Amino acid sequence: MLKPATVTELAKLLNFLGNEQRLNILKAITHEEKFAREISEEVGISRPLVNIYLKQFEKAGLVTGTNRVGEEPPYLKRYYKAVPFEFVLNLELISKLGDD
């Protein structure tokens, strides 16, 4: 996802990463993996919305999730951690983008 080939793909990427709530989720799991409830409490948004965003991040390859079994309910928790990435936007990149 971080290598857009067209103007449309670049616009979608910028729109996706330009969301303050999504950026706060990434920030929360940059250095330490956490499960959805922890993230929800830390960033102050609902757990269902956090789960939606985490699935989108996983699909984009920006976050990895690992299931773990615990001794207390909920017994199965999915822990998330951000995948390191770098994205550089400049005129050279834009000029090399293909047509849609």
Side-chain angles (χ1 to χ4, degrees):
M1 177 176 189
L2 290 179
K3 296 186 184 207
T6 66
V7 172
T8 300
E9 289 177 8
L10 175 60
K12 286 179 182 178
L13 174 63
L14 293 174
N15 185 48
F16 182 73
L17 292 176
N19 178 290
E20 185 177 346
Q21 291 177 329
R22 287 188 192 111
L23 290 176
N24 281 325
I25 290 170
L26 273 181
K27 181 179 175 185
I29 57 175
T30 297
H31 300 293
E32 178 184 357
E33 58 182 11
K34 298 174 183 170
F35 61 98
R37 189 182 80 213
E38 291 175 306
I39 298 166
S40 173
E41 291 171 358
E42 184 174 329
V43 300
I45 59 176
S46 71
R47 194 175 337 160
L49 187 55
V50 166
N51 282 320
I52 289 169
Y53 286 157
L54 289 169
K55 286 178 186 176
Q56 292 172 339
F57 277 125
E58 278 191 292
K59 184 177 178 182
L62 300 174
V63 166
T64 58
T66 307
N67 290 329
R68 297 217 181 105
V69 177
E71 296 189 17
E72 297 179 15
Y75 295 105
L76 181 65
K77 292 180 184 177
R78 187 160 181 85
Y79 285 81
Y80 296 91
K81 180 141 173 83
V83 174
F85 69 89
E86 182 175 283
F87 176 68
V88 176
L89 176 62
N90 56 36
L91 287 176
E92 182 179 349
L93 171 88
I94 294 170
S95 71
K96 292 180 180 179
L97 294 174
D99 295 330
D100 295 324

